[in-house]
Amino acid sequence: MYLIQGEGEKQNTGMHAAAGFMSLSIMFNVKDDTNLDFRRRILLGRIKPEAVVSMTFSDMASEQRKKETEGIKAKSMFECELGATAVASTDQFKCGKCLQRKTTYSRCRQGAC
């Protein structure tokens, strides 16, 4: 752990807030009981201290957390695409330009409920 802290101090000179946040993130991921694989790879030397300091949050995450994140992203993309295609067609309204009754509309929510 001291090697990782020393490497972090070397790479983040002059960036005290970022270095502190990064070291907290690393410590959280190392101590996390659901992320035993990350801890094991550090202890066995498969991940070097230089690499740990430059890893992103998603790189340090456990396989379970990575799968959850992918599921959330997929669900979010599906809902986003679903919201973009919510256009309906009806003959109940009259177009103001051409005066035809073949109109399309989309529901627009205004304000927060």
Side-chain angles (χ1 to χ4, degrees), residues 1-94:
M1 237 28 233
Y2 293 114
L3 292 173
I4 295 171
Q5 287 176 343
E7 191 62 37
E9 290 172 4
K10 281 186 212 173
Q11 290 187 10
N12 292 319
T13 56
M15 297 172 39
H16 299 293
F21 185 71
M22 190 59 161
S23 65
L24 284 175
S25 173
I26 293 169
M27 291 304 295
F28 174 78
N29 281 296
V30 168
K31 291 181 179 182
D32 188 12
D33 291 334
T34 61
N35 202 355
L36 297 176
D37 187 49
F38 180 65
R39 185 185 321 170
R40 188 177 305 117
R41 287 185 290 161
I42 290 175
L43 291 175
L44 294 176
R46 293 183 184 155
I47 301 175
K48 302 293 180 198
E50 303 87 31
V52 173
V53 173
S54 62
M55 291 175 93
T56 62
F57 304 118
S58 58
D59 293 338
M60 289 186 251
S62 64
E63 292 301 319
Q64 176 188 1
R65 182 66 184 154
K66 287 179 185 178
K67 288 179 184 177
E68 289 174 4
T69 303
E70 287 299 318
I72 291 169
K73 285 181 183 179
K75 183 179 177 185
S76 175
M77 287 300 294
F78 177 74
E79 289 175 355
C80 180
E81 291 173 359
L82 182 66
T85 60
V87 176
S89 173
T90 185
D91 62 351
Q92 298 294 316
F93 303 114
K94 186 187 256 186

